[in-house]
Amino acid sequence: MTRLVVDTIGLNDKSFVDNFRTPHTEKLHVVERFKLVDGGKALDVHVWIEDADAFYEPWSGLQRYDRVQRACEKKSAPRAIGIFSTIRCR
């Protein structure tokens, strides 16, 4: 099983942990694990978050992104590209 693991420390406190604008301190430690599933048709992202000054205990979440096919046009030359559902054609 192949995964991409991103282990992040050293962030300042000027960002937020999630879309709900959850604050954190400079002690934030984030581990993200990316894995293709269903034969490459989906991407699972497991996120583990620890910050002893902001949270009582570490917490985690899992998000699945389904792969979709969309046609993007570039100067009237359509091309189909394989992308995950949260990425939009520009």
Side-chain angles (χ1 to χ4, degrees), residues 13 15-18 20-25 51 54-55:
D13 61 357
S15 63
F16 300 100
V17 174
D18 55 23
F20 299 105
R21 301 178 62 88
T22 303
H24 63 85
T25 70
D51 186 335
F55 309 114

Side-chain angles (χ1 to χ4, degrees), residues 37-90:
V37 294
D38 293 338
K41 295 179 182 176
L43 176 70
D44 277 355
V45 181
H46 182 266
V47 180
W48 179 84
I49 297 174
E50 177 182 41
D51 186 335
D53 289 350
F55 309 114
Y56 292 112
E57 60 186 28
W59 55 278
S60 64
L62 175 67
Q63 178 69 46
R64 175 169 284 192
Y65 299 93
D66 293 321
R67 189 171 191 163
V68 297
Q69 294 289 332
R70 293 191 182 169
C72 294
E73 292 187 18
K74 185 177 181 183
K75 294 186 179 180
S76 71
R79 61 186 176 98
I81 58 174
I83 55 177
F84 290 95
S85 60
T86 58
I87 301 172
R88 299 199 174 145
C89 299
R90 295 179 189 186

